[in-house]
Amino acid sequence: MKIKAFLRALLLGVALGTMSFAPVSAETLRVMAGSSSSPLNVPMNRAVVVESDQPFAELSIANPGIADITTLSDRTIYVLGKLPGRTTMTILGADGKLISNVEVQVTPDIAEFKERLKQILPGETIEVRTANDGIVLSGTVSSTAKLDRALDLAKRYAGDRVSNLMTVGGTQQVMLKVRFAEMQRSVSKNLSSSLGVRGTVGGGSAQTGVVSGTGNFTGAGAIDNAFDGGTMPIKASSAGALGLGFTAGNLEFAVLLEALEAKGMVRTLAEPNLTALSGQQAKFLAGGEYPIPVVDNDSVSIQYKPFGVEMAFVPRVVDGDLINLEISAAVSAIDTTVTMSSGGFSVNAFKRRETSTTVEMRDGESFAIAGLLQDDFNDLNSQIPWLGDVPVLGALFRSAEYERKQSELVIIVTPHLVTPTRGEALALPTDRVRPPTESELFLFGKTAGSKAPTGAAAEVAKQDFSGSYGYVME
């Protein structure tokens, strides 16, 4: 065993003896007397060795705050970068003659920054340069997010002295498609009755009126109108009204029945589209402006309130096809059912549905950013005390009302990355309509030519809208 160990040690010594070790070369600058010296670039907080071809006797640095110099021998100088900047180092010989002036430029240490940049953002073609006391970044990156990461890393090394000359490749324009879809359905029913009685007692006369619900008998005067001339008190606004009158002995009776059922449906659909550059705001309004008078002391001024389909959004292409959207969308209309009058002016209210949010999604994906399902129900039953509780006949002394409203609202957004195209490839709404000829207009009464529309307009025209839509109420 000892012999084997001895042989191994002997072979190892022979191998080490035959190996040649290359010396580690330091970063140096050689200065030749009588010739111009190349600039000396020194990274901040790092050192560079300067070698002279002949011994020197004196050294000086113009700005010691930028670089520090130390002699290692009569031919070797140790230069340490302290602060970014540019200065001059002068080398003099023993006879006082000038050997050389070396321009020393201290720059931020970007070697480590380049390594970290490749580790964090592999595959990105980012060029790093130094300029005076800062860092300059140039090249093309694939997304805004990676550009921000490169800038954040550069600020760790150079603070605010970072110049950004990078550009973002790929598509940076976003078209946002917003769909407002709202369905409203309402059902109302009411049933009311009124009874009037007039009779003669002895030599005089007596009359009475029984009013229930929304009937049109409202006192003795109305009852007189009900009997005189044989006309019933049915107003022009009374829909579904039935009046009856009869005489029993000395008593005259008048009965008015009103029954009404109303149904309604409203469908609202708006699809505004808008295109904007990444990071820039875009606005859209399709509607109008409503004048609102404002009274100030003795003067009246007019302010305009916009209404219609409104949209404002700021797209940001984060990474590839990932899009960040800051959206504000609204649909408003004038509400003629609510009116306010002041100072001789009448102003209507507004119905408005709006949303404001920030979402993130990819190209072509959709997001329902807002939704509302509302169900309003109310009923009312009014009657004459005690008389309304009488079986069968009590219906003449009762009034019942029923009303129900349902509405559903959904707002869906879909972003698309888009690029410009040739103008010939874009279709206009007017392209699908042709003015009629004189014969088509005067002979056949056509307001548009016979040219059939194509594309999406033709598909919409083929749809059948005769089916049921909205809510179904029982």
Side-chain angles (χ1 to χ4, degrees):
M1 296 297 295
K2 293 182 179 180
I3 295 176
K4 291 182 178 180
F6 176 75
L7 292 175
R8 290 177 181 175
L10 181 62
L11 292 174
L12 179 62
V14 173
L16 292 175
T18 56
M19 291 177 62
S20 61
F21 294 94
V24 179
S25 59
E27 186 177 358
T28 59
L29 174 70
R30 300 186 183 278
V31 177
M32 306 295 293
S35 62
S36 59
S37 176
S38 59
L40 176 63
N41 294 320
V42 183
M44 190 173 61
N45 298 324
R46 298 184 65 179
V48 175
V49 176
V50 178
E51 293 182 353
S52 176
D53 64 333
Q54 58 179 305
F56 54 83
E58 186 178 353
L59 293 175
S60 63
I61 189 77
N63 189 347
I66 295 178
D68 191 12
I69 56 176
T70 304
T71 57
L72 300 179
S73 66
D74 60 349
R75 296 174 182 264
T76 308
I77 308 168
Y78 185 84
V79 182
L80 174 65
K82 297 173 64 177
L83 292 176
R86 182 176 295 182
T87 186
T88 302
M89 180 178 64
T90 303
I91 306 175
L92 300 177
D95 55 356
K97 292 184 178 180
L98 177 67
I99 297 178
S100 179
N101 275 331
V102 180
E103 182 180 345
V104 180
Q105 183 175 1
V106 180
T107 59
D109 186 8
I110 61 175
E112 182 183 0
F113 171 61
K114 289 182 178 180
E115 295 177 0
R116 297 293 179 266
L117 198 60
K118 291 181 179 179
Q119 294 173 357
I120 296 175
L121 299 175
E124 299 293 335
T125 56
I126 302 177
E127 298 180 1
V128 182
R129 298 182 179 88
T130 58
N132 197 3
D133 59 346
I135 296 177
V136 179
L137 302 179
S138 61
T140 302
V141 293
S142 58
S143 66
T144 306
K146 293 181 179 179
L147 184 145
D148 294 337
R149 293 175 190 171
L151 291 177
D152 290 341
L153 183 61
K155 290 178 181 179
R156 294 284 184 178
Y157 289 85
D160 295 333
R161 303 181 305 275
V162 178
S163 298
N164 177 26
L165 301 181
M166 295 182 291
T167 59
V168 181
T171 304
Q172 296 296 309
Q173 296 183 106
V174 180
M175 183 189 74
L176 181 64
K177 178 180 180 181
V178 182
R179 287 177 286 174
F180 295 87
E182 183 178 14
M183 292 295 301
Q184 296 179 352
R185 185 175 176 88
S186 61
V187 173
S188 62
K189 300 178 183 179
N190 64 66
L191 176 63
S192 61
S193 62
S194 298
L195 176 63
V197 181
R198 183 172 68 174
T200 303
V201 180
S205 64
Q207 59 184 3
T208 180
V210 180
V211 182
S212 61
T214 58
N216 290 313
F217 292 164
T218 56
I223 296 174
D224 288 335
N225 295 331
F227 293 104
D228 294 342
T231 59
M232 299 304 298
I234 299 177
K235 297 180 180 179
S237 60
S238 299
L242 174 63
L244 298 174
F246 60 93
T247 302
N250 294 330
L251 298 178
E252 297 180 57
F253 295 89
V255 180
L256 177 63
L257 299 177
E258 288 183 291
L260 178 63
E261 180 178 6
K263 296 181 180 180
M265 185 190 72
V266 177
R267 175 180 181 264
T268 302
L269 180 64
E271 294 189 12
N273 296 340
L274 192 59
T275 302
L277 188 66
S278 176
Q280 301 297 319
Q281 186 185 40
K283 294 183 178 181
F284 176 87
L285 172 62
E289 292 187 338
Y290 184 77
I292 299 177
V294 179
V295 180
D296 185 10
N297 295 331
D298 296 334
S299 62
V300 178
S301 60
I302 300 296
Q303 293 183 357
Y304 292 91
K305 179 178 177 61
F307 68 92
V309 180
E310 303 174 62
M311 182 174 65
F313 82 109
V314 179
R316 295 181 179 89
V317 181
V318 180
D319 190 3
D321 60 348
L322 186 63
I323 306 170
N324 180 282
L325 295 173
E326 185 178 342
I327 311 168
S328 177
V331 174
S332 58
I334 300 174
D335 187 2
T336 57
T337 61
V338 180
T339 305
M340 185 192 72
S341 299
S342 177
F345 297 97
S346 296
V347 180
N348 296 113
F350 284 81
K351 293 186 293 185
R352 185 176 179 87
R353 285 82 71 200
E354 66 177 331
T355 181
S356 179
T357 184
T358 301
V359 293
E360 194 170 86
M361 66 192 78
R362 297 192 178 274
D363 178 22
E365 295 181 341
S366 297
F367 218 129
I369 61 173
L372 171 66
L373 178 60
Q374 185 174 355
D375 190 351
D376 297 331
F377 170 81
N378 63 80
D379 59 358
L380 176 64
N381 188 9
S382 59
Q383 66 179 23
I384 301 299
W386 303 298
L387 295 178
D389 297 328
V390 176
V392 183
L393 295 178
L396 297 175
F397 305 95
R398 288 196 301 266
S399 175
E401 295 181 3
Y402 163 86
E403 185 177 7
R404 187 177 184 182
K405 295 181 180 179
Q406 286 184 331
S407 63
E408 184 174 3
L409 170 66
V410 176
I411 302 177
I412 300 176
V413 296
T414 305
H416 296 280
L417 293 174
V418 295
T419 55
T421 185
R422 296 180 60 87
E424 296 81 0
L426 300 177
L428 301 176
T430 54
D431 296 339
R432 301 189 294 265
V433 179
R434 184 176 64 87
T437 62
E438 293 184 357
S439 60
E440 290 175 336
L441 177 62
F442 294 106
L443 296 181
F444 302 100
K446 295 183 177 180
T447 57
S450 58
K451 181 181 179 180
T454 59
E459 296 299 325
V460 174
K462 293 178 182 178
Q463 296 181 12
D464 182 13
F465 295 99
S466 60
S468 299
Y469 290 86
Y471 293 95
V472 177
M473 295 185 179
E474 300 294 342

